[in-house]
Amino acid sequence: MSRPPTPSSTDQQLVERVLWGEQAAFTEIVKQTEGLVAQLVFKMIRQPADRQDLTQDVYLKVFKSLPGFKFQAKLATWVGHIAYNTCCHYLEKKQLVLVDLGSEERDDEAARRLPRVATPAGNETERLLFSQELTAILGAELEKLPPLYRTLVSLYHQEELSYAEIAQITALPEGTVKNYLFRARKRLKENLLVHYQRDEL
Amino acid sequence: MTTPHLSDQEAQQLATTEALAPAAAVAHLHACAHCQAQVASYRVLFAGLATAPRPVFAFDPAALVGPQLSAARARFPWGASLGVALVLAFVGGCLAVFGAYIQQLVRGVPAGLYYVLLLPAAALVLGQGLDLLATHRRQLSILHFS
């Protein structure tokens, strides 16, 4: 397993300032990690009404656990991990499934039975890509994925985190992260192709 | 002989970067229109994901959490400490008052019975303790990535 990324000196300074009782430093931590926490909360929790309470819970946990932070990872990754765990506990409590491997196998089987669809090439593809239509379809297809897959795809492709960082956040082995990401992308691509094929018909 | 097409895994890797892909896979890609279409569709997907709008909270998390920080700061658990002190005082008082009676009760008990009672109790306490320790270590490792 690769070494976790070393924390920046800013992380240390920020944490020290918070521990000295400077509330503005904690606000800075919130501002720095807000995007990542939003990705995790939005991708894992479907109920908008619960997101605010969960986010509050995440940052209060971060604040309480900050004295125990050992700087063995980036502060943002550590906050992300707390957010991920909080969302997992929420899903467990609500008895919701993080990743339904059974449905995935069914989808894979269905995808195998589908004929291949030629992807529009070159400029045509790029034109489609940046159209609002594709963005909307992609968003809708992303929503159909299980929460864990949605989360992994967003962390990798939108937050541009490395496999190692995603593994730290989710506490999954790096190999599992790669494998889940592969399956999620494949499923997403198949679903997109199916969508375009249906439209063409 | 026909060269097998790229696997989905190879297509995904090539859509991300050609630099880390095996030379044979890159060579096949340049010669195969089918695989080029596969890789192109993944590139479309990845570019679409990268440019998709990011979620934004409808509230300000800093403003939401700020007022609660002083209450959330870890404090000495005075309530729990007082509870423990009261329980200890009660047990101590009971032993002081009824100590002599308890000694009389256990005086005639054979030594074998002590072992029958004490050994399972000790095993139970040890097992619970080890379980607690393992849980604590697991939680700490999750938090600190150690």
Side-chain angles (χ1 to χ4, degrees), chain A residues 186-200:
Chain A
K186 187 178 174 205
R187 200 160 150 184
L188 211 47
K189 189 200 77 169
E190 299 283 6
N191 290 351
L192 273 177
L193 291 178
V194 170
H195 188 96
Y196 273 107
Q197 185 196 31
R198 198 176 54 217
D199 279 2
E200 281 165 16

Side-chain angles (χ1 to χ4, degrees), chain B residues 8-78:
Chain B
D8 257 288
Q9 205 150 10
E10 287 170 320
Q12 287 190 13
Q13 192 183 4
L14 283 161
T16 312
T17 172
E18 285 190 16
L20 298 172
V26 178
H28 175 84
L29 176 68
H30 291 157
C32 176
H34 175 270
C35 291
Q36 282 169 14
Q38 288 293 319
V39 172
S41 61
Y42 273 119
R43 284 192 179 135
V44 167
L45 175 66
F46 295 170
L49 287 170
T51 53
R54 284 164 172 71
V56 181
F57 288 125
F59 52 88
D60 180 4
L64 186 73
V65 179
Q68 298 176 57
L69 290 185
S70 51
R73 195 174 288 281
R75 289 180 183 149
F76 187 78
W78 289 110

